[in-house]
Amino acid sequence: MLACTGCGDLLEAVIDPPREEPAALKQRWLTRRMSYQAVDMSGVWRFREFLPETYDAEMVVTLGEGNTPVVTAQRTGAWAGARNLWFKHLGWNPTGSFKDLGMTAGMTEARFAGARVVACASTGNTAASLAAYAARAGLTGRVYLPAGQASANKLAQALDFGAEIIQIQGSFDDALDGLLRRNDAGLYFLNSINPFRIEGQKTAMLELLEQFEWRVPDYLVVPGGNLGNSSSFGKAFLELKKYGFIDRVPRIIIVQAGGANPLSRMWTSGAKQLEALPFPETAATAIRIGNPRSWKKALHAVQTSGGLVLDVSDEEIQEAKTMIGSDGIGCEPASATTLAGIRKLNAEGKIDRDANIVAILTGHALKDTDYINKTQEQRTREHAGDCIRV
Ligand code: F0G
C-alpha cells in the first residue's frame, strides 16, 4: 500500500527526533567512516538515525552505496556563468545511478516485510538498481520497461542481474499505470512512490552537507522526472532544519526536459493541479515522463525552499552534457539538464553569479552510450568538410 486510503495521496515516512544533539551525531557519522561494518560502509546506512527503522544489521541489503564525491567544476562553471559550482555525482554509485540510495532502503524493507517478488516500472535506471539489489536480497526482481525507450546499457544491467523483464508497448507512465493496477499477492512495489525509497535517497543530502562541513549551499539543482529525488532532498533539508542540524535550506531548482515538462508548465502557468502530458518526448530517456507521481511532494520542496522549476531543450541538454564530459566528469543526458538549467538562469540574470551552487548528477556517462555515439556521428557529419592544415 503506497497511498493514503483517506485522501489518495502518497504516503510519507515520519522520522522520530534524533536522540542525540546535532554536534554529537555529526561526529558519530564521521566516526563511522572508519568502521568496516557493512552498515557503516554504506553511505546511506551511515546516516541511519534519519531512516525510518533500525533493522538488524544483517537484514540490511547493501552494496556499499553512497560515498560519492563532490567535484569542483570551474571550467564547466565558467561556461554556465557560475563562479562557484560543484557536482555531487550520484552516478558514481554501484549500478551507476542515484537509484541505489533508495533501493538499499526499499529492498531492506521489502525483505523485512516478507516480499518474494519485487517490481517496478522504469525508464531504465530503477530497473538496473532493483535487479541488482533483488539479486543481493535473494528475491525475484521484475521490471516493466517501455519497449524500445530504455537505453540498451540499462537493459543489459537488468539482464546481467537476472531480473525478469517485461517490455510494455507505450510510455513509462503506461508501464507504471499498468503495474499499479496489478495487485498480485506478494508483489512488492519499488518505484519511488514507495516512501522507503525516498528515505534512502534523502541521505545524499546529509552526505553532501557533511562534505561541505555543514555549510549550506545557496542552490541545489536537480533533474526532474518522476520527481522522487527532488521530493526526497526537500524532505531531508526540512528535517535537518527542524532538528537543528542546519539553520537554513538551499533553494531547490528542478530542471525538466522541454518535451517532458509537466511540472515546469504548471510552475510557469501558476496552475493548481498538474496536467499530465500524454506523449512526453526527449532524448534524455531517463526523464521521458509525462505524469510524475511525486509532483505534490516535489512542489512542496520547491515552495518551502524558495526555489523554482524550469525546463531546457534537448539541444541545451546535449551542449551541457558535452561540457561536463570535456571537464572529465561525464554523466548521462538527464543529469546534464542541471548544467543547462544553471546556464539558462544565469543568462536570464535569475541567479547570482557568486552563489554557491550544487548540481546533482544522477547517472553515469556509460548509462547511455548510444546517445554519445549518435552525438559523435552527428558532429562528424557536420564537420565532414573540415580538414586539418599542417
Ligand atoms: N536522472 C536519471 C539518470 C534518472 O534515471 C531519473 C529517473 C531522473 C534523473 C529523474 O529522477 O524520477 O526522481 O525525478 N529515472 C527513473 C527510472 C524514472 O525509472 O529509472 P526522479
Side-chain angles (χ1 to χ4, degrees), residues 98-99 121-126 172 223-229 286-287 289 332 334-335 362-363:
F98 72 96
K99 306 288 180 181
S122 178
T123 55
N125 279 328
T126 306
F172 163 83
N226 212 18
L227 300 174
N229 218 18
I287 51 173
I289 295 174
E332 70 166 285
S335 310
T362 45

Side-chain angles (χ1 to χ4, degrees), residues 138-280:
L139 305 180
T140 300
R142 188 174 296 158
V143 302
Y144 294 76
L145 298 171
Q149 294 180 39
S151 92
N153 311 55
K154 297 173 188 176
L155 190 63
Q157 284 185 290
L159 285 169
D160 195 35
F161 298 128
E164 295 173 7
I165 297 179
I166 297 150
Q167 306 237 34
I168 296 289
Q169 293 307 321
S171 64
F172 163 83
D173 303 294
D174 298 327
L176 185 53
D177 280 343
L179 178 59
L180 293 177
R181 274 198 300 271
R182 302 183 72 98
N183 54 3
D184 315 13
L187 195 67
Y188 188 89
F189 295 109
L190 274 173
N191 276 98
S192 59
I193 51 179
N194 179 316
F196 292 91
R197 282 222 15 228
I198 297 290
E199 293 305 300
Q201 287 174 209
K202 254 177 24 183
T203 59
M205 295 303 101
L206 279 77
E207 186 177 89
L208 170 73
L209 288 167
E210 186 184 72
Q211 287 163 323
F212 272 73
E213 295 176 327
W214 297 93
R215 282 187 297 271
V216 179
D218 299 314
Y219 293 96
L220 186 88
V221 188
V222 197
N226 212 18
L227 300 174
N229 218 18
S230 36
S231 302
S232 77
F233 296 164
K235 185 171 192 287
F237 290 125
L238 290 180
E239 286 173 358
L240 288 166
K241 182 157 180 277
K242 179 171 168 195
Y243 296 129
F245 287 70
I246 50 177
D247 54 12
R248 65 185 181 95
V249 303
R251 291 170 190 261
I252 295 181
I253 298 180
I254 299 178
V255 193
Q256 295 199 296
N261 62 350
L263 190 71
S264 172
R265 283 176 187 229
M266 182 186 170
W267 182 261
T268 313
S269 69
K272 292 275 170 288
Q273 287 292 320
L274 182 115
E275 204 177 310
L277 294 179
F279 303 109

Side-chain angles (χ1 to χ4, degrees), residues 29-46:
W29 291 333
L30 270 182
T31 309
R32 282 184 187 149
R33 294 184 62 173
M34 289 184 282
S35 156
Y36 286 106
Q37 298 283 325
V39 282
D40 294 340
M41 287 168 71
S42 160
V44 171
W45 296 98
R46 192 158 67 83

Side-chain angles (χ1 to χ4, degrees), residues 12-28:
E12 186 166 87
V14 178
I15 297 295
D16 288 336
R19 285 193 218 101
E20 271 176 285
E21 286 302 308
L25 203 43
K26 287 175 185 174
Q27 190 53 48
R28 182 183 296 284

